[in-house]
Amino acid sequence: MAVEKIPHSPAASLSKGTDVSRMSASDLIEWITSRSSVSSAVYVYDVAEQVGFGVLAKAWGSSLETSSPVIPVQTRAGAGLSLVGRLSEGTSHDTVDGSVLTAYTSPQGLAKMAESLPFLPPASSASKLVIQVPAVTPVGEAFAFSPTLACLSTTLSLLPENIAVLLSATPQESVDFATLSYGLNTHAIHIFDHYSSAREIGHELVPPSGAGRSMLSLSEALSYAGYAPFEFAGDRHSHTVLIFPNGPLALYAKQIVSRTVGLAVIIVKVLRPWNDDVLRDVIPSTVEEIYVFDDVPSDIAQGPLFVNVFASLYDPLRSERVIHSQRITPHQTQLFAARPSQFASHIFTAVKSSSTHSRLEAPSSSTKLLFFSTPTVNLSSFHQLVRNTFSGATSVRHIACHDAFSYSGGLTVDRVVFTPKGDAQEFIPLSGDFPLDGSGKADFTCVLEPNLLKSHSVLNDANVGSAILVLTSWSPDELWANLPSDALTLALQRKLRFYTIDPNLVLSRIPDIASWEFTRGLVAYLVFLRLYLGRTSSEGLVRKIAQGMVPLTFGSDTFAKLSSRTWLELVQVQLPTDLPVVESKANSPAPLKQFRFNAIAVDAGEGEGVYVGSRVSSWHEAAKHLLFPSAFAPALPALAGFKEEFPPNPSLRPDLPERTYLVTCAVNRRLTPLEYDRNVFHLEFNTEGTGLKYAIGEALGVHGWNDERDVLEFCTWYGVNPDRLITVAVPGSEGRMHTRTIFQALQQQIDLFGKPPKSFYADLAPYATDRVDRLTLQFIGSPEGSSTFKVLSEKDTLTFADVLQRYPSARPSIEELCELIGDIKPRHYSIASSQSVVGDRVDLLVVTVEWTSPSGKRRYGQCTRYLAGLKVGQKVTVSIKPSVMKLPPDNTQPIIMAGLGTGAAPFRAFLQHRAWLSHQGISVGPTYYYFGSRHQSQEYLYGEEVEAYIQDGTITKAGLAFSRDGPKKVYIQHKMLEDAETLAGMLKNQNGVFYLCGPTWPVPDVYEALVGALVKNQGYTRETADEFLEQLKEEERYVLEVY
């Protein structure tokens, strides 16, 4: 097939492009998927660009006619709705020509999109969505990259059946899967290894021809491309099988089992649709143990892969086959990908194997080159020359990784491996073939920034007796003086051979050098050839080999001078004969830093910079908060001698001063009938891996968001771009700020649709340009305007946004407006569960608050509206607030609970806990439960549970009052009067505790019922009964939580 030329920048022409077989798979995926013949439009989400994917497509989209238009998109809640909207409606152009959309996002971005994707219309040949996902995720405070898919563990279940999910690992497989995604009869998500494999350069990739096939089933498409949903490797008669999602760890495992008897691996390449039958066919009949390695957010979470495998393979009639869950957290994935020997040890420990072979060895004939430099050094000419020199007989692979934090301006590490083509083996990513784990695999190490020798452990991966080339003006004595004692000791132990050369000195003595950047790489190349050839090298031989590879940039005389001068200026540095003296710990220097892969690209030049892949030209403040989270996150109190298992992460919500947790909505179920005028609903949040703990009766603070549509409508009316950045203060902090988009601030932090205080009118008045508006605002904010304010606040229920729209000439800047309005306060809801019973879960009982204002405008409670709209899998920020609703310290004390409507929430937790105590054989005291609502058939909240508790004796006596079901209204105080003698006796003689939760209005009637019971049955007068109840309040035995 003809090889298409692909430009790497907008300025590059097609004729000056790069052969596709020499591109990285990630670049080729961008090229294929951004063709106008493939995609109608490409949506590039910011999180993809932050890991270096989508930059080329944006450049091509603005410069090449054959490229699809590129639409930059920000990742936020509902991130996929714009894609759903375009496919659901389409423009007139889309209707004629079809609308095949491509989106680029990261695993984190896909998790945010997942809740929107169920709304996709059915796919067709002219209307479908394909999402290309580079699998790389920053982990921990250092943002070290990990190929983990853990953030998808709770969201994959949200995806509808009409979306295929493909996983690829090798470079060619990545290109093939990216292409076949467009030929399916479904929407598709393709997740590929952007951590290592797909970014490697040097693979002879073949773009699929396409052959015009479309609307194929997934099995047909895979078959045409030569793949299957599951790949089996290893011993066909094995007793133990490992199951991995396709990715770098799966390829490591494949290499491990290839030399381990009795062990095999199954690599999952299709997550959706899951095929039980194909998996069963792949498993050998001899298998007795199956280990499912799952990416999960924490080691107590259960992953979706294990659930699928277990459902497919569990056979109750075959008890000898055991299926084990092996959870791999994001930190472990990062560690195992960077240090494959630890991964091998982890596998052998998990399967209880006695094997000790823990390295993924490359062929002994391969040569490994390692380069340490800074982003200001361009090594592309060197790498191209090496590939050109050895590509005829060898396979040359190259990958660059960056560390944006450990060295000022950034640190770049390039790994190059070339292997004779006859020695090819099963593909292993360079991260596994040539790990930077201190094992000493580099045959040649080149340090282009000499100061790195003083700060980083650049010699740790040098092989015994290998050459170390330092490009520096240092003399040999200066080199040894600058080498830390630990590095010098290592150099002596491994008998490293040091060489230095000053490229600037070489170039200064050669006239007519046009490109110093290219020539600098050429000098390094000439030195490398000399050292690689060893004793057989000569200046003439090196020049002859190099001259055949160098482009016609130099005249032969100039090149001869350059080669000769490079030969002369290379200095071999003699090692000292003695090991350095070990200094005392008090005087010892700081330990050398380790390289951490945390950026795809780092540009330390002036102007626009790229850090961790994020462009900071117009995002400087956002970058500061990303790079230095501890400087901007709220300070948390330190507890001496205490280390939390799940420490707080203030950067999760820097706008919130209190300890917060990110929980996942697992259940959102309406309890009242749809036709009923009150929407009472039950919520369950999954708290696995968050460290959230709560006591009986505590309240959950929900940090709700404003409605997205309302915020966008306000931004349009106010004339502000919702995507513009704004820096606002962190509440409750001393001068701390954080940066976000205007949309994020107005949706998540600013109480735009809350009730304004009187002072807001006075504060807004100076901004009014219309005299009438200004005077009116001043009046309402003055003492004389109190009655007007009361009408606006209590009758018309105006919000901040309403006030701004009523007085439109008052237009403070958006920054000033955020300060004037203030922040959304968390709404607190009594927790309706006992953690001793439900475990990693917290339940709420909520009723929506909605009403119509006198003007006819529909109003909603901000937080109940947010909660009512939660989808399963959606993340919610919460906090814990102590409450007065506590069980008595003695389990045998009687408790009397009175709840109206959603006031039943804390009592459900009480009942769960007392039932649990009883099941443990622990004695509990009498439990009286009074519940009131309007209709039993429509609002008997948790009625089935209550009836069960009555049956098993957890509830000693229940008084159920449904006020609208009979000819006469009956309330809970009436039910309490029926038990007046018992209640009075429990309070007076048995140390009983009374609780009331719900609206305020029944408090006087309930109080009177208790007073009457005490007067009638315990000999109290009215006055002494009042005093007794006041005493109970002091003792926390008369507890009210009303609203």
Side-chain angles (χ1 to χ4, degrees), residues 349-360:
T349 300
V351 302
K352 300 178 179 62
S353 170
S354 59
S355 176
T356 58
H357 192 90
S358 60
R359 295 199 176 278
L360 310 183

Side-chain angles (χ1 to χ4, degrees), residues 596-858:
R596 294 204 175 186
F597 173 31
N598 51 37
I600 300 294
V602 180
D603 181 359
E606 295 181 359
E608 182 176 288
V610 179
Y611 288 89
V612 197
S614 302
R615 298 191 173 273
V616 298
S617 56
S618 59
W619 292 70
H620 296 98
E621 289 301 320
K624 291 176 186 176
H625 291 265
L626 175 65
L627 294 174
F628 311 110
S630 59
F632 296 93
L636 292 169
L639 300 178
F642 178 73
K643 183 177 180 181
E644 290 191 71
E645 183 181 1
F646 300 95
N649 181 6
S651 60
L652 172 69
R653 283 292 300 273
D655 53 311
L656 302 176
E658 63 262 59
R659 170 73 148 98
T660 57
Y661 309 84
L662 195 63
V663 299
T664 305
C665 179
V667 172
N668 186 346
R669 182 175 68 250
R670 179 168 176 147
L671 301 181
T672 53
L674 288 174
E675 64 274 8
Y676 194 51
D677 62 355
R678 286 161 57 88
N679 175 17
V680 183
F681 54 100
H682 169 78
L683 289 166
E684 294 179 10
F685 296 108
N686 187 333
T687 65
E688 282 185 334
T690 66
L692 186 149
K693 303 294 181 186
Y694 58 91
I696 299 290
E698 287 190 320
L700 191 73
V702 177
H703 300 264
W705 292 2
N706 288 321
D707 182 74
E708 179 178 0
R709 186 174 65 179
D710 289 350
V711 171
L712 291 175
E713 287 177 354
F714 176 83
C715 289
T716 301
W717 176 82
Y718 208 69
V720 294
N721 178 1
D723 295 328
R724 186 165 69 83
L725 291 179
I726 182 174
T727 299
V728 292
V730 175
S733 66
E734 298 179 1
R736 289 183 180 270
M737 308 291 287
H738 68 118
T739 300
R740 47 186 30 196
T741 66
I742 290 174
F743 173 84
Q744 289 172 324
L746 294 183
Q747 186 193 35
Q748 302 173 22
Q749 180 177 347
I750 305 303
D751 198 13
L752 183 62
F753 304 106
K755 183 185 292 188
K758 197 168 185 286
S759 59
F760 176 73
Y761 293 86
D763 293 339
L764 187 63
Y767 297 97
T769 57
D770 180 84
R771 183 171 179 273
V772 175
D773 284 354
R774 185 170 63 255
L775 293 176
T776 303
L777 289 166
Q778 288 174 345
F779 171 75
I780 298 171
S782 69
E784 294 79 7
S786 296
S787 59
T788 302
F789 169 73
K790 186 174 182 180
V791 171
L792 296 176
S793 179
E794 298 179 9
K795 183 179 179 183
D796 295 339
T797 59
L798 294 189
T799 67
F800 288 99
D802 292 330
V803 173
L804 291 165
Q805 291 170 347
R806 179 170 287 205
Y807 307 104
S809 72
R811 287 283 182 110
S813 69
I814 194 66
E815 293 85 357
E816 293 169 316
L817 182 63
C818 289
E819 291 184 9
L820 287 174
I821 293 177
D823 302 300
I824 299 172
K825 302 297 187 293
R827 271 57 166 188
H828 292 95
Y829 300 90
S830 295
I831 294 176
S833 57
S834 166
Q835 198 160 31
S836 61
V837 176
V838 301
D840 291 328
R841 202 180 87 196
V842 58
D843 299 355
L844 295 183
L845 178 63
V846 183
V847 59
T848 54
V849 179
E850 47 188 297
W851 69 99
T852 302
S853 70
S855 63
K857 188 170 184 178
R858 195 66 178 160

Side-chain angles (χ1 to χ4, degrees), residues 25 29 132-133 135 149 165-178 189-194 197-198 227 245-248 251 267-270:
I29 289 171
Q132 304 289 348
V133 183
L149 300 180
V165 181
L166 310 177
L167 303 177
S168 61
T170 72
Q172 185 63 57
E173 187 177 57
S174 300
V175 173
D176 292 344
F177 278 25
I189 297 171
H190 170 223
I191 304 172
F192 59 94
D193 173 24
H194 195 61
S197 300
Y227 297 97
N246 204 10
L251 296 180
I267 300 175
V268 179
K269 300 187 177 185
V270 177

Side-chain angles (χ1 to χ4, degrees), residues 887-1002:
L887 279 171
D890 185 350
N891 294 323
T892 62
Q893 286 179 252
I895 60 173
I896 306 159
M897 302 171 289
L900 277 78
T902 55
F907 303 138
R908 180 175 185 257
F910 284 17
L911 292 170
Q912 284 183 350
H913 186 69
R914 284 218 154 178
W916 178 78
L917 290 174
S918 296
H919 291 156
Q920 306 303 309
I922 301 172
S923 297
V924 296
T927 303
Y928 275 55
Y929 178 61
Y930 297 93
F931 172 75
S933 65
R934 291 187 292 182
H935 301 284
Q936 181 173 6
S937 61
Q938 296 169 314
E939 208 173 346
Y940 185 9
L941 305 179
Y942 302 123
E944 293 181 354
E945 294 181 16
V946 171
E947 295 298 330
Y949 286 139
I950 294 171
Q951 292 294 322
D952 67 13
T954 299
I955 295 177
T956 309
K957 176 69 182 295
L960 306 175
F962 302 104
S963 59
R964 308 287 176 87
D965 281 351
K968 183 179 179 181
K969 291 186 177 179
V970 178
Y971 297 106
I972 57 172
Q973 61 267 27
H974 301 131
K975 293 294 183 179
M976 289 170 58
L977 287 173
E978 294 176 6
D979 301 320
E981 182 178 357
T982 304
L983 299 184
M986 287 193 292
L987 293 176
K988 175 66 171 61
N989 304 317
Q990 301 178 45
N991 209 26
V993 185
F994 176 81
Y995 304 90
L996 173 64
C997 184
T1000 307
W1001 64 264

Side-chain angles (χ1 to χ4, degrees), residues 45-126:
Y45 284 83
D46 52 357
V47 288
E49 209 173 345
Q50 287 165 12
V51 294
F53 189 73
V55 179
L56 292 176
K58 290 178 72 173
W60 294 327
S62 62
S63 61
L64 300 178
E65 293 182 359
T66 58
S67 290
S68 303
V70 174
I71 303 167
V73 191
Q74 286 192 352
T75 302
R76 57 193 182 205
L81 290 176
S82 57
L83 305 173
V84 173
R86 177 158 178 181
L87 288 179
S88 299
E89 299 174 5
T91 63
S92 56
H93 175 78
D94 296 331
T95 305
V96 175
D97 296 332
S99 185
V100 177
L101 304 183
T102 295
Y104 299 161
T105 190
S106 69
Q108 293 169 309
L110 180 60
K112 289 185 178 294
M113 294 172 66
E115 62 189 51
S116 304
L117 300 182
F119 300 103
L120 282 170
S124 68
S125 60

